[in-house]
């Protein structure tokens, strides 16, 4: 019916999983050019949202097809204007801009890369399609040499569709209302299966970068420790272009630029004697997060290509009751969050990244979950550099309807895991992959589905634990059998027994005992939280006041304290800051479970958390 949706479904054949997706980095042989800035923008407001594709708006500058407005890239487009129809828009939006390519790029490989665009994107350069991408939170790129005017101006056009269907991640549905006595003609809404607002647009950097025509396409590094001292880096380098006759030099450099290990093999091992290990900052306060540089120099007929990858040497092991980092127990006192902030929605912003990491340190947070989709690479970089562990989660939230477990959905989920692991596999901060949040894991059909997604992820990366986050109980859940760590979200005294904090300890205790006795695996409470509207007070406390959030959390903390060092390996409060959701009677301008406001100002709950986490640093650090 609605052409916008059909296009999404039928074009989904473009699985863009090539070998590598290295982050663009300048080097002796590579140039990176940022295309961020103010682009031209136009939403396709036609009833079928299909006018732009039909009339091929990409064939000419967007401004010639109709009125355009300036739109910042990166950002979500939703909150930038005063236009309610744009805020709540569903369908195709169009962006374009010019860019110049110097003549001397002609002999290099030129790549156009998007950090992410939510959800489905089609990209044209000079009116020719160069790439499509299905999925809202991961990078995609295309080699664009054959479309370029070297030494001249080029037109870049992007169409982005935010429609969520039963086979997207997260899934959603488009609901039409045919009753013309109650709804305007052609009325439809996007129904969501998650509680965060479906911010959309070009959310992350758009960049051009160059490489020689024979180039380092990908590198995979895993690390180990020998005799407690020597760091072992096992790596594999993939070459793109014509690799024949090429050679490689691998140098491991320490922070001062000293070469501490070398190799000349494409696949091999480099040993660093007396290595500085990578630790989360709470385990090694004086020298956390030590990063070496793996400098790769490829020499071929096409010249030399140099790429530098930061590498942290560390191991992760999971026993039946502990997580060990470099053979030492690690307790995660963490937080769940969203990328949500201010006017830009989920668009990348360095000030917000810096503020959020400063708030992590202020609170004493030593890990976070990329709830509930993969975060920007620049956020992940910060975690690597500051020594904050990450549960790296796919956008698999809301997998609850039978159709969401179909083969079409499964295929896409596997593809998303390919892309996520490909992007983040070398990051020391990533402690675990989470393939989903709160799926229908009590259903029989979830068994083959999660067996497949978890098994596939484990085969992509055998070095890290894999899990998903359950909101079912130990009796009903059918998919937790496949995970390495049992992650679960609980809202006792919030969604059930609202207002009764006295039930928390008893309910949490029997819950955790149940999981333990059934599975004998480590437990991780990935969400617990109560809403509080900043400035709302009541004493004695009641739901939605700042006091209630504090009372509520304190009860959970007592239960956690009794299990740290036994079977609980982590706790994460939900959530870091208030965030915008779809409108609904349960949400007052968004979800208020933040311990910070959306502007990152602490509520009393943040001071409680800070006190707890700073004390936990002292208690669990060594
Ligand atoms: C959990 C979801 C999370 C929600 C939270 C809530 O995992 O995404 O925001 O509930 O209701 O079920 O606050």
């Amino acid at each position: 019916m609605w052409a916008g949706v059909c296009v999404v479904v039928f074009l989904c054949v473009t699985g863009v999983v090539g070998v590598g997706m290295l982050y663009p980095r300048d080097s002796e042989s590579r140039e990176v050019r940022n295309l961020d800035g103010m682009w031209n923008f136009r939403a396709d407001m036609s009833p079928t949202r299909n006018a732009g594709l039909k009339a091929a708006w990409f064939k000419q500058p967007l401004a010639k097809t109709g009125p355009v407005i300036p739109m910042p890239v990166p950002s979500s487009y939703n909150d930038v204007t005063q236009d309610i129809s744009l805020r709540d828009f569903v369908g195709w939006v169009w962006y374009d801009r010019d860019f110049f390519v110097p003549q001397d790029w002609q002999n290099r490989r030129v790549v156009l890369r998007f950090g992410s665009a939510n959800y489905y994107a089609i990209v044209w350069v000079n009116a020719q399609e160069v790439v499509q991408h299905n999925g809202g939170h991961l990078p995609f790129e295309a080699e664009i040499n054959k479309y370029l005017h070297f030494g001249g101006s080029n037109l870049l056009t992007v169409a982005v569709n935010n429609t969520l269907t039963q086979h997207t991640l997260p899934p959603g549905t488009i609901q039409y209302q045919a009753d013309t006595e109650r709804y305007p003609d052609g009325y439809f809404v996007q129904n969501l299966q998650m509680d965060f607002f479906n911010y959309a647009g070009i959310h992350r950097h758009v960049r051009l970068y160059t490489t020689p025509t024979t180039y380092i396409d990908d590198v995979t590094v895993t690390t180990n420790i020998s005799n407690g001292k020597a760091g072992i880096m096992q790596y594999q380098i993939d070459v793109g272009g014509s690799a024949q006759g090429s050679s490689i030099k691998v140098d491991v450099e320490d922070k001062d630029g000293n070469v501490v290990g070398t190799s000349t093999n494409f696949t091999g091992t480099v040993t660093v004697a007396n290595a500085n290990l990578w630790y989360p900052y709470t385990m090694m306060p004086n020298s956390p997060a030590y990063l070496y540089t793996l400098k790769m120099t490829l020499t071929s007929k096409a010249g030399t290509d140099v790429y530098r990858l930061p590498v942290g040497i560390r191991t992760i092991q999971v026993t039946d009751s502990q997580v060990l980092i470099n053979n030492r127990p690690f307790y995660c006192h963490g937080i769940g969050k969203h990328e949500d902030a201010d006017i830009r929605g989920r668009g990348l912003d360095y000030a917000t990244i810096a503020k959020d990491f400063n708030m992590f340190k202020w609170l004493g947070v030593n890990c976070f979950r990329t709830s509930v989709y993969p975060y920007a690479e620049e956020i992940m970089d910060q975690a690597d550099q500051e020594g904050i562990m990450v549960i790296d989660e796919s956008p698999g939230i809301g997998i609850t309807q039978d159709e969401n477990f179909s083969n079409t959905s499964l295929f896409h989920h596997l593809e998303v895991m390919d892309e996520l692991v490909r992007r983040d596999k070398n990051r020391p901060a990533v402690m675990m992959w989470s393939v989903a949040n709160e799926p229908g894991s009590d259903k029989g059909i979830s068994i083959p589905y999660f067996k497949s997604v978890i098994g596939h992820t484990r085969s992509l990366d055998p070095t890290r634990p894999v899990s998903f986050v359950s909101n079912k109980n130990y009796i009903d859940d059918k998919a937790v059998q496949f995970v390495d760590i049992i992650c679960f979200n609980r809202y006792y005294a919030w969604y059930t027994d609202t207002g009764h904090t006295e039930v928390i300890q008893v309910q949490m205790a029997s819950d955790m005992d149940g999981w333990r006795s059934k599975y004998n695996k480590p437990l991780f409470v990935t969400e617990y939280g109560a809403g509080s509207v900043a400035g709302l007070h009541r004493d004695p406390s009641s739901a939605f006041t700042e006091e209630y959030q504090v009372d509520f959390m304190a009860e959970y903390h007592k239960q956690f304290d009794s299990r740290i060092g036994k079977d609980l390996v982590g706790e994460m409060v939900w959530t870091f800051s208030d965030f915008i959701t779809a409108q609904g009677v349960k949400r007052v301008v968004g979800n208020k479970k933040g311990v910070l406001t959306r502007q990152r100002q602490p509520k009393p709950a943040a001071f409680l958390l800070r006190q707890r986490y700073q004390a936990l640093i002292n208690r669990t650090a060594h």
Side-chain angles (χ1 to χ4, degrees), residues 195 372 397 437-438 489 491 495 527 574 579 587 591 593:
D195 84 329
V372 271
I397 179 170
N437 178 62
E438 300 192 349
N489 297 344
Y491 287 91
Y495 287 123
E527 282 182 29
W574 188 253
F579 61 91
R587 303 284 189 250
N591 188 316
K593 295 191 188 72

Side-chain angles (χ1 to χ4, degrees), residues 193-196 337-338 369 371-372 393 397-398 437-438 469-471 489-491 494-495 526-531 574-575 579 581 586-587 591-593:
Q193 293 171 203
M194 78 266 193
D195 84 329
F196 56 97
K337 71 189 297 292
H338 271 285
R369 178 167 67 111
S371 35
V372 271
E393 190 159 85
I397 179 170
N437 178 62
E438 300 192 349
V469 171
S470 175
N471 63 346
N489 297 344
R490 288 299 182 261
Y491 287 91
W494 185 256
Y495 287 123
T526 32
E527 282 182 29
Y528 69 100
W574 188 253
T575 180
F579 61 91
T581 61
K586 282 210 259 171
R587 303 284 189 250
N591 188 316
K592 301 295 188 209
K593 295 191 188 72

Side-chain angles (χ1 to χ4, degrees), residues 253-461:
E253 295 174 352
D254 68 13
K255 276 200 168 159
D256 302 318
N258 303 313
V259 176
V260 292
T262 63
S263 169
T264 51
N265 298 318
F266 285 94
T267 301
T269 302
V270 181
T271 303
V272 180
N274 290 318
N276 287 299
L277 303 183
W278 188 99
Y279 274 103
Y281 81 100
T282 49
M283 287 177 82
M284 189 65 91
N286 296 329
S287 61
Y290 194 98
L291 291 172
Y292 290 92
T293 301
L294 194 74
K295 179 183 172 194
M296 293 156 273
T297 309
L298 174 75
T299 307
S300 74
K301 286 189 198 110
T304 300
D305 188 23
V306 180
Y307 190 83
R308 291 176 178 81
L309 180 82
V311 177
I313 300 174
R314 61 106 188 84
T315 58
I316 295 183
Q317 282 159 284
V318 179
T319 70
D320 62 6
S321 59
Q322 281 187 319
V323 170
L324 304 174
I325 295 182
N326 304 334
N327 300 315
R328 286 170 50 188
F330 172 71
Y331 183 72
C332 165
H333 33 97
I335 208 149
K337 71 189 297 292
H338 271 285
E339 275 184 323
D340 170 291
D342 289 338
I343 298 159
R344 72 194 74 90
R346 282 212 297 277
L348 176 86
D349 170 68
Y350 286 105
T352 308
I353 296 174
K355 181 71 178 178
D356 286 2
F357 275 81
N358 288 332
M359 292 313 282
F360 286 162
K361 294 276 175 81
W362 181 82
L363 287 165
V365 160
N366 65 359
C367 65
F368 66 95
R369 178 167 67 111
T370 68
S371 35
V372 271
Y373 40 79
Y375 288 1
E377 289 156 282
E378 294 73 12
I379 296 175
M380 303 299 284
D381 283 348
Q382 220 50 42
D384 284 339
Q385 282 162 28
E386 300 205 22
I388 302 208
M389 301 309 289
V390 181
I391 299 181
D392 205 353
E393 190 159 85
S394 91
I397 179 170
I399 306 174
T400 51
Q401 309 302 310
D402 286 0
E403 190 59 25
N404 309 148
F405 292 97
S406 65
N407 281 342
T408 311
S409 293
L410 174 62
F411 176 75
H412 180 53
H413 202 151
L414 298 178
E415 193 175 56
V416 168
M417 293 317 300
D418 284 337
E419 291 184 27
L420 177 59
V421 175
R422 173 178 70 173
R423 191 193 75 163
D424 289 345
K425 62 189 169 187
N426 295 323
R427 296 185 174 282
V430 174
M431 64 177 278
M432 174 160 69
W433 306 106
S434 166
V435 302
N437 178 62
E438 300 192 349
S441 51
D442 52 347
K443 296 183 177 219
I445 37 174
S446 75
I447 299 174
Y449 187 94
F450 281 105
K451 187 174 183 199
S452 172
V453 178
I454 291 172
H456 180 68
T457 308
R458 205 171 271 132
S459 74
L460 293 170
D461 179 8

